[in-house]
Amino acid sequence: MYSEIPPTKIRNREEKFREAKNVPFWHFAGNIIFSSMLKSRFYSMMYKGLENFEARDKNFATIFYAPHCNWWDGMVGYVIIHFLLRKLGKFRMRLMIEEMNRFPLFQYVGCFPINKKSAQSAMKSLSYATNTLKDPDIAFWLFPQGIIRPPHYRPEIFQSGLAYMAQNAAKKFGGINLIPTAVNYTFLRQDRPEILLEFGKPKIITDPVFDRKEFTHKLEREFEEFMDKQQADISKGNFEGYEYLYKEKLHWWRYIESKLKSIGINNKET
């Protein structure tokens, strides 16, 4: 079910490199399709910590780094950037996708491939990814683990890509914002799971002189603590600060159920 070997390495196939583009028609189609898919499977999506995103250095691009535990993760990133962050400004999404030759149309909504068949192929994608961080309106959604891991996998293990991009963005463009993003898929009181997302405080990197290995380990430890705190809050029923990005309307049978419950409560009170 889970493998330490990247899919492109297992398949041992060359993939055509496609540069990311932003085509309005495909964004329009993607907004409808992706949001509908999430709403059909999840009761709600909640978020908190948006003020942390607003506290970033607006002169630099932003990398959101999030856990990668299932098929929905990339779609969640897309929806968050297009329906939440765009309330604050016009942002262009960038996302690396392994085996993107299976989904070539994603090229037109800001995605580009990463082929881990060889170090040279992976480095080409990382170099391209870094160059996309030139403009401050770029919102880059990144999974630093590099592969899908089980939910709540510990310890957090990052590959070197995030540190490489941060260092080179600081060197080439003066700086970069790194925002840790905790994502949790869980059942609460509804018949379908809900998505809870929390933005952490931004790390504004302007000095490119650091050891990438040490920097990666520091990010791993901090991200693990951040994820564990979110999970602890959820386990205690602490949802303070969360807002709904969307919430399913009450079905007729749930509406009747709530009315019947209220009748029972009112009868006890009288």
Side-chain angles (χ1 to χ4, degrees), residues 54 64 66 91 165 179 202 206 209 218 243 248 253 270:
E54 296 186 77
F64 299 89
F91 295 95
M165 291 172 63
I179 297 186
T206 56
V209 181
K218 183 174 185 292
E243 299 181 51
E248 183 184 88
W253 54 272
T270 57

Side-chain angles (χ1 to χ4, degrees), residues 23-37 75 78-79 82-83 106 109:
V23 179
F25 171 79
W26 289 112
H27 277 296
F28 174 76
N31 291 347
I32 294 173
I33 294 169
F34 296 151
S35 61
S36 297
M37 289 175 68
M75 204 173 297
Y78 181 94
V79 168
H82 283 267
F83 289 93
F106 285 1
V109 293

Side-chain angles (χ1 to χ4, degrees), residues 5-242:
I5 305 173
T8 47
K9 201 163 188 177
I10 293 175
R11 293 179 184 272
N12 195 30
R13 294 178 183 173
E14 288 295 337
E15 294 210 355
K16 179 182 177 181
F17 187 81
R18 293 176 166 86
E19 292 189 0
K21 299 179 180 179
N22 292 92
V23 179
F25 171 79
W26 289 112
H27 277 296
F28 174 76
N31 291 347
I32 294 173
I33 294 169
F34 296 151
S35 61
S36 297
M37 289 175 68
L38 284 172
K39 289 177 181 179
S40 70
R41 294 293 185 270
F42 297 94
Y43 177 81
S44 76
M45 182 185 292
M46 292 183 276
Y47 66 91
K48 68 180 292 187
L50 192 59
E51 68 279 1
N52 289 326
F53 170 69
E54 296 186 77
R56 73 196 187 285
D57 190 321
K58 297 177 177 60
N59 294 307
F60 306 133
T62 301
I63 298 176
F64 299 89
Y65 56 103
H68 197 8
C69 65
N70 66 63
W71 184 83
W72 294 99
D73 293 327
M75 204 173 297
V76 167
Y78 181 94
V79 168
I80 285 293
I81 289 171
H82 283 267
F83 289 93
L84 181 60
L85 302 189
R86 284 197 168 190
K87 293 181 179 180
L88 306 175
K90 293 182 178 180
F91 295 95
R92 290 179 292 155
M93 176 184 175
R94 290 293 179 265
L95 174 66
M96 284 190 289
I97 298 181
E98 199 167 356
E99 295 188 294
M100 201 177 99
N101 277 352
R102 298 167 63 189
F103 312 99
L105 288 178
F106 285 1
Q107 171 187 13
Y108 302 111
V109 293
C111 302
F112 61 95
I114 180 165
N115 185 358
K116 298 179 182 176
K117 179 184 175 183
S118 67
Q120 292 81 1
S121 298
M123 187 55 65
K124 179 181 178 181
S125 293
L126 283 175
S127 297
Y128 175 79
T130 301
N131 289 332
T132 67
L133 301 172
K134 178 180 179 180
D135 300 318
D137 66 339
I138 291 294
F140 202 114
W141 197 269
L142 183 70
F143 303 117
Q145 296 92 339
I147 56 175
I148 294 180
R149 293 193 182 277
H152 314 299
Y153 182 91
R154 295 294 180 268
E156 286 288 352
I157 302 173
F158 289 179
Q159 295 185 8
S160 59
L162 177 56
Y164 173 88
M165 291 172 63
Q167 188 174 62
N168 282 277
K171 188 183 300 182
K172 290 182 176 182
F173 313 125
I176 186 72
N177 299 292
L178 304 182
I179 297 186
T181 309
V183 183
N184 204 303
Y185 305 84
T186 188
F187 279 93
L188 298 177
R189 295 294 300 276
Q190 305 301 328
D191 56 343
R192 286 189 292 156
E194 305 186 46
I195 304 171
L196 293 92
L197 181 145
E198 182 177 353
F199 297 110
K201 294 181 180 179
K203 305 177 188 304
I204 304 169
I205 310 300
T206 56
D207 183 1
V209 181
F210 57 81
D211 182 275
R212 289 209 295 260
K213 189 174 182 180
E214 290 181 5
F215 184 73
T216 296
H217 289 327
K218 183 174 185 292
L219 291 179
E220 288 170 343
R221 292 191 300 271
E222 293 175 350
F223 190 67
E224 185 173 314
E225 291 175 2
F226 181 53
M227 291 284 293
D228 287 347
K229 183 181 182 305
Q230 186 202 37
Q231 180 61 37
D233 287 340
I234 293 171
S235 299
K236 296 173 184 176
N238 178 13
F239 304 105
E240 183 179 355
Y242 279 101

